[in-house]
Amino acid sequence: MPIRDRIVRYASETEFRVWLFALVAAIVAYGLFELTGEVLEGETRAFDESILLMLRDTSDVGMPVGPAWLTKVMTDITALGGVTVLSLITLMVVTYLLLRRSFRTAAFVTGSILGGWALSSALKLGIARPRPEVVQHLVEVTDLSFPSGHAMLSAITYLTLGALLSRLDEGRVRRYFFPLVAVFLTLIIGLSRIYLGVHYPTDVLGGWAAGTVWACASWFVSRWFLGR
């Protein structure tokens, strides 16, 4: 293919991705705004509690449904969205980027993820929703409930790193591997929080939405800050 045709094709694909990300970010941001309003008004409580109770034994809400090993699996999965694991992953990626002398990329990743974590804390304090009390918590929690910090922080961290790593491979199929892995990890971490009874389903939806909006915003900034 002639170089001129390649340039035109790349420009068209880039413009399509920009508009697609803008559309996704706008839709998710609107959904987050509406969901937050419903949560503040208490409109989602019946739905939230019904889902949590569905995941517990009808004779003992302290016992989750499913085999005993499933609780252990969910506990291990939920740790992937904890501050300790996410901090270690981010530190290792940033260290790798520094060793490659990709200083701008390292600074962008650090600022993007730390900014998202600060936003998560601010949203929790602003909305101040208590943790679920209808079922017993299967892991220890101490902070507020909405949005789910695990869901939001995993979305911010994994989606940002997934988008970054996809830029390192020019293969059309391989470049989608890391974003797909990031989405998968984000989904199962959020679901584990519901199963363990430490978050309402709408907490997790809010965390996914807020994290996705932040990750999309970071993607736009990266196009300006990092270039192609």
Side-chain angles (χ1 to χ4, degrees):
M1 181 182 295
I3 294 179
R4 180 178 179 181
D5 291 343
R6 290 183 180 179
I7 294 175
V8 171
R9 180 178 178 181
Y10 173 76
S12 299
E13 292 178 351
T14 300
E15 183 178 3
F16 173 76
R17 288 197 295 269
V18 169
W19 283 107
L20 179 61
F21 269 80
L23 177 61
V24 170
I27 293 174
V28 175
Y30 176 77
L32 175 62
F33 178 79
E34 290 292 320
L35 177 62
T36 303
E38 294 293 316
V39 167
L40 290 173
E41 295 173 2
E43 298 294 331
T44 65
R45 188 175 186 85
F47 166 78
D48 282 326
E49 293 185 351
S50 66
I51 297 297
L52 291 179
L53 290 172
M54 284 175 54
L55 297 174
R56 297 302 171 98
D57 191 307
T58 55
S59 61
D60 182 5
V61 295
M63 293 294 294
V65 297
W69 58 263
L70 183 58
T71 301
K72 172 61 176 175
V73 169
M74 288 297 179
T75 303
D76 291 341
I77 289 174
T78 208
L80 297 175
V83 173
T84 301
V85 173
L86 294 178
S87 297
L88 287 173
I89 291 174
T90 302
L91 179 61
M92 288 187 287
V93 171
V94 170
T95 301
Y96 167 73
L97 292 171
L98 292 175
L99 292 174
R100 286 190 54 176
R101 305 185 67 81
S102 300
F103 301 119
R104 287 168 61 87
T105 306
F108 165 76
V109 170
T110 303
S112 174
I113 292 178
L114 290 180
W117 291 10
L119 175 62
S120 174
S121 298
L123 288 174
K124 279 182 175 288
L125 293 174
I127 298 171
R129 187 187 199 185
R131 293 278 181 168
E133 297 180 353
V134 66
V135 296
Q136 180 181 343
H137 301 164
L138 301 182
V139 291
E140 184 179 355
V141 290
T142 56
D143 58 351
L144 297 167
S145 195
F146 186 93
S148 166
H150 276 63
M152 182 173 176
L153 297 182
S154 60
I156 289 171
T157 305
Y158 290 125
L159 292 180
T160 298
L161 295 180
L164 171 68
L165 293 173
S166 70
R167 295 162 59 95
L168 303 179
D169 198 320
E170 294 297 330
R172 182 176 294 274
V173 175
R174 295 190 304 272
R175 68 188 304 177
Y176 291 108
F177 174 75
F178 290 113
L180 288 175
V181 170
V183 170
F184 174 72
L185 289 174
T186 300
L187 288 176
I188 62 174
I189 290 169
L191 294 176
S192 73
R193 304 303 283 175
I194 300 173
Y195 182 84
L196 295 172
V198 294
H199 275 298
Y200 294 112
T202 48
D203 294 337
V204 173
L205 289 174
W208 283 339
T212 299
V213 171
W214 184 266
C216 286
S218 298
W219 183 82
F220 279 109
V221 173
S222 73
R223 291 181 56 79
W224 165 77
F225 189 72
L226 302 178
R228 180 179 176 184

